[in-house]
Amino acid sequence: MSKDQLKKAGLKITGPRVKIFQVLTTSDKRHLSAEDIYHLLHAQGEDIGLATVYRVLTQFESSGLVHRHRFDEDCAVFELSDGEHHDHLVCINCQKVVEFVDDVIEKRQEDIAKDNGFEITDHSLYIYGVCPACQHK
């Protein structure tokens, strides 16, 4: 965890921000909900409330440190911004998420936007389906 990253994002260094950022950077999972982070913090003996976790994640999102995704209707998940664009495959059964990059898809999206007079400022692509493990159950 680099406190410089928080400073660079324009955020003051506070205990909760540092702890939440540490969870995001050290977790085995790349996509964590606020509740996931809250439970991981409590498992580490940290006394940070769920409302604080939500508030800090919103600050992180506003400053560009994390991306918020809604892979399903029930829960948002957060992913550290690593500067590299990628898209997501999401299993509708087990919620497994696979990240991928495809230059052909990216080019096609740019062409479609250009053909319609749009300038892309941001985009995301989620493809929903059934992963191989769930297909064999």
Side-chain angles (χ1 to χ4, degrees), residues 68-83:
R68 179 189 306 250
H69 298 288
R70 285 204 163 271
F71 296 137
D72 64 41
E73 297 172 9
D74 298 331
C75 183
V77 293
F78 298 85
E79 170 184 39
L80 279 174
S81 300
D82 58 9

Side-chain angles (χ1 to χ4, degrees), residues 23-33 36 40 77-78:
V23 167
L24 287 164
T25 57
T26 61
S27 174
D28 292 339
K29 290 177 59 180
R30 275 190 50 88
H31 306 95
L32 295 167
S33 70
D36 292 335
L40 289 168
V77 293
F78 298 85

